[in-house]
Amino acid sequence: MKKKIFLLISLILLAGCELTPGIDAQQCDDNVASFPDENFTYGKKNLNIRNSYAYELDNPIYNHERENESAKKDYFENSDKKIIPDYSFMDNTLKHGNDNILLYAQNTALQNEANLPLTTRYPKIFDGQISCAGKNANSRLGLYSNGVIVELGRKLQTASGIALYMTHNFLTLKMKVFFILYKPTDSFEVNEYDEFVFSFYTNLGTSVAGPKFFYLDLTKILDDTSVLTGCNMLGLRYERIDLSDEEKNDPSISESFAEFYDNLEDEKNHTKSKDESFLKLYDIGIPYSTWAQ
């Protein structure tokens, strides 16, 4: 009986902020976040980009996110499946036996797979713990749209996919996401990189039901995934997308979406007001990858 009670409590804690009582629930307030300190250098600045390779992915759910789950599943099944916008859509082969998103995140965390050095900035976004309960409460990284670049201290050897776990902290955000892998070139130019930019559109909701999950299937996006061998930095940024005139005139849509800002200054100034608005990054993963030490 005691074991059953313990398991029930554990499941409640993992379920998310809404079910976590007491102090943890306050710490899980998604209007609170740790932002990159602009007085520090997180990742290299003033990068010299030699070649930029852009891959814009069609999110099969983007224009149908307000429809029921059955309809969204149908749209996904008829897509090219280069991007999987919902963990429940992932097949058992890709899940590798992990039956829920929490286990998957924990078992494929970069901190574990790449054995990242302690000097890596923001190791908390690589801890693989995507619930906001317990000792890791409110440990997620808040990002303005200019995002962040992280030096990993390890070189990628093989990769088959990219996993993103993120929410918007307030209402719903209409956005375009850019995930970037940086590969140093063989030239003598300082800070010269080739970049691989993967982008897609989504309406990013709040974390009441847990972070949103996106899986980018590199085996379907790239003809040869070995072009990523040697990448040692990653980045994530996003663009806010304004609502259409039709959406603005529909209160059922406009009142549930975060405000649009066309410049970073306005966006940052807004976060100082009561209704803060920013992306909450829970984790980034490159599942079942191999890394050079």
Side-chain angles (χ1 to χ4, degrees):
M1 182 66 179
K2 289 183 178 179
K3 288 184 178 179
K4 290 183 178 178
I5 293 175
F6 176 78
L7 287 173
L8 178 60
I9 292 174
S10 298
L11 288 172
I12 290 174
L13 288 174
L14 287 175
C17 307
E18 290 293 300
L19 299 179
T20 309
I23 296 175
D24 277 344
Q26 295 173 358
Q27 291 175 335
C28 279
D29 180 5
D30 268 339
N31 286 313
V32 179
S34 172
F35 282 84
D37 189 334
E38 294 180 353
N39 295 320
F40 279 101
T41 300
Y42 293 97
K44 298 183 186 296
K45 293 185 177 180
N46 302 318
L47 299 181
N48 296 313
I49 302 300
R50 182 178 66 178
N51 297 306
S52 181
Y53 303 96
Y55 306 90
E56 184 164 313
L57 310 180
D58 179 26
N59 180 354
I61 309 304
Y62 176 62
N63 292 317
H64 308 281
E65 287 182 328
R66 300 177 73 85
E67 300 188 36
N68 62 46
E69 292 302 313
S70 177
K72 289 193 291 186
K73 185 73 173 179
D74 288 340
Y75 286 117
F76 172 72
E77 289 298 334
N78 291 316
S79 73
D80 58 19
K81 300 185 182 179
K82 289 180 180 177
I83 178 172
I84 300 172
D86 187 316
Y87 189 73
S88 67
F89 292 172
M90 184 179 280
D91 62 35
N92 290 328
T93 301
L94 290 176
K95 286 184 178 180
H96 286 248
N98 297 287
D99 58 359
N100 68 62
I101 189 174
L102 289 172
L103 287 176
Y104 185 83
Q106 292 166 359
N107 293 335
T108 60
L110 271 182
Q111 182 63 56
N112 299 330
E113 294 201 329
N115 189 25
L116 297 178
L118 295 176
T119 54
T120 303
R121 294 294 186 185
Y122 296 127
K124 62 185 169 186
I125 69 172
F126 303 121
D127 65 10
Q129 176 56 267
I130 63 170
S131 72
C132 58
K135 65 179 181 179
N136 293 315
N138 201 45
S139 64
R140 307 309 133 208
L141 184 63
L143 295 179
Y144 300 116
S145 58
N146 61 333
V148 68
I149 295 176
V150 181
E151 295 182 66
L152 298 176
R154 296 285 185 263
K155 288 188 176 182
L156 184 65
Q157 288 183 315
T158 62
S160 58
I162 296 163
L164 302 176
Y165 311 82
M166 55 189 175
T167 66
H168 186 248
N169 73 308
F170 182 75
L171 298 176
T172 300
L173 180 64
K174 193 173 184 180
M175 64 189 294
K176 184 177 183 180
V177 184
F178 298 85
F179 177 82
I180 309 101
L181 285 171
Y182 297 92
K183 180 177 180 177
T185 70
D186 53 5
S187 78
F188 293 103
E189 292 289 332
V190 177
N191 289 342
E192 185 178 81
Y193 290 82
D194 288 338
E195 65 175 8
F196 300 85
V197 185
F198 305 92
S199 63
F200 59 92
Y201 291 88
T202 187
N203 294 324
L204 193 63
T206 64
S207 62
V208 172
K212 265 200 169 182
F213 169 84
F214 302 92
Y215 180 85
L216 284 55
D217 192 338
L218 295 173
T219 65
K220 294 180 180 179
I221 299 169
L222 302 172
D223 293 331
D224 180 7
T225 59
S226 69
V227 296
L228 301 178
T229 300
C231 289
N232 63 359
M233 294 198 308
L234 58 79
L236 189 140
R237 60 183 176 85
Y238 61 97
E239 293 178 358
R240 293 170 178 268
I241 306 299
D242 200 2
L243 297 178
S244 67
D245 290 339
E246 182 180 358
E247 290 171 327
K248 290 177 182 177
N249 293 326
D250 184 344
S252 68
I253 297 178
S254 60
E255 292 178 4
S256 62
F257 274 77
E259 194 171 343
F260 170 75
Y261 303 100
D262 62 359
N263 63 76
L264 186 60
E265 182 179 1
D266 286 348
E267 181 184 341
K268 288 188 175 183
N269 287 338
H270 181 74
T271 63
K272 297 176 183 177
S273 66
K274 181 179 179 180
D275 295 332
E276 296 180 341
S277 175
F278 52 82
L279 185 150
K280 192 109 173 181
L281 180 63
Y282 279 67
D283 203 358
I284 293 174
I286 305 180
Y288 311 107
S289 52
T290 60
W291 299 79
Q293 301 301 305

